[in-house]
Amino acid sequence: MIGGRGMNRIPLRARNKMDKERKRRLLIDSAKSLFVERGYGNTTVDMITERAGVSTGTFYIYFKSKSEVYKVFQDEGIDILTGMIKKAVANPSMSPISKVTAAVKAYFRFYRECREYFDLIAVISLGGQDELRERESEIGRRIDDKTLILLREIEGVIKEGVDSGDFYPVDTWEVTNVLWGMLDGLIILSERDNVRVIELDIEELIKTALETAFYGFARRGKD
């Protein structure tokens, strides 16, 4: 009764908003679990609504398509990853080389600790679904903007190293994308279990890749 009286004190508009947020989150979480279990291609809107316990019509109140709810995870995942990287390089006393290393380790930690997000996002590049690659929708543009912000965060660290003399003068944007592509490629090796075939540890591969990259653009004698 106390809980009921408490709810009655909440204005109707606020209760309706809370109910809408609850249903939207329920659909997102139901979709997430199905995508993880079955994959994107083998999941249907009907499966999502059945697991959420709502009608198919309710799904389309909140999302235009299956791909849109999928992109919610990419959007959330980028926010988590960006936060982890910003935290990793936040200490102003760290050297630029240490910051680059910390950023790479943060990405690897995201892969390890937020595996569902990483696995779902990886389908964008590995799965081949064209609908997941579109960039004209509102959420598609938002994801592009956030990805750019994330990469510019890394570039800022590399620029800091160039300005301080820790790194040779380089095209910082090109180097940022080379490093990011290298890291993505190594983690995809792990995703496909190729590291088991070649009998190398993914963490050791990433360490070696960083050392190799630093020999290319870091000045010798700097920490």
Side-chain angles (χ1 to χ4, degrees):
M1 292 296 293
I2 293 175
R5 287 199 299 271
M7 282 297 294
N8 288 336
R9 294 194 189 101
I10 301 174
L12 180 61
R13 182 179 297 177
R15 290 207 305 272
N16 288 340
K17 183 177 180 180
M18 289 169 59
D19 185 57
K20 286 181 179 178
E21 284 300 314
R22 182 186 64 80
K23 286 182 178 177
R24 182 178 183 274
R25 192 70 238 177
L26 185 59
L27 284 164
I28 290 171
D29 292 341
S30 298
K32 182 180 179 181
S33 63
L34 282 165
F35 290 147
V36 170
E37 292 169 17
R38 303 177 63 90
Y40 177 82
N42 294 323
T43 298
T44 66
V45 171
D46 286 343
M47 290 176 185
I48 295 170
T49 55
E50 181 179 356
R51 178 161 296 191
V54 301
S55 67
T56 301
T58 300
F59 177 90
Y60 289 104
I61 292 174
Y62 301 97
F63 306 103
K64 295 177 182 178
S65 63
K66 182 178 70 169
S67 63
E68 183 177 341
V69 71
Y70 188 98
K71 287 179 181 181
V72 169
F73 305 119
Q74 188 179 21
D75 189 42
E76 292 178 347
I78 290 172
D79 284 342
I80 294 169
L81 176 57
T82 301
M84 292 173 75
I85 288 177
K86 284 185 175 181
K87 184 177 179 180
V89 303
N91 188 342
S93 66
M94 294 171 66
S95 69
I97 291 178
S98 295
K99 286 185 178 181
V100 172
T101 303
V104 170
K105 287 181 177 178
Y107 187 27
F108 185 66
R109 192 166 66 254
F110 171 76
Y111 165 66
R112 288 294 198 199
E113 297 175 5
C114 306
R115 190 61 180 269
E116 286 187 349
Y117 278 109
F118 186 90
D119 285 351
L120 289 169
I121 292 171
V123 175
I124 301 295
S125 59
L126 298 178
Q129 289 88 357
D130 290 339
E131 64 195 86
L132 298 180
R133 294 195 180 99
E134 71 80 25
R135 297 171 137 175
E136 300 306 316
S137 64
E138 181 181 348
I139 191 168
R141 291 193 298 271
R142 185 165 69 245
I143 289 168
D144 276 353
D145 289 343
K146 287 183 178 182
T147 301
L148 188 60
I149 289 170
L150 174 59
L151 291 174
R152 292 298 185 189
E153 183 78 22
I154 305 299
E155 185 189 21
V157 174
I158 296 172
K159 281 183 176 179
E160 182 183 332
V162 171
D163 292 342
S164 67
D166 286 87
F167 300 156
Y168 287 109
V170 292
D171 185 315
T172 55
W173 185 237
E174 283 188 1
V175 169
T176 298
N177 282 276
V178 167
L179 283 174
W180 205 253
M182 177 183 67
L183 183 59
D184 267 347
L186 289 173
I187 292 181
I188 288 170
L189 280 178
S190 180
E191 278 287 289
R192 290 174 170 171
D193 278 341
N194 285 8
V195 287
R196 191 178 302 170
V197 175
I198 60 180
E199 298 180 345
L200 291 173
D201 180 75
I202 184 64
E203 293 188 52
E204 285 300 315
L205 278 175
I206 288 174
K207 180 182 177 182
T208 301
L210 277 174
E211 291 173 352
T212 302
F214 287 152
Y215 285 135
F217 68 89
R219 292 184 187 275
R220 302 297 176 87
K222 294 283 187 176
D223 178 42

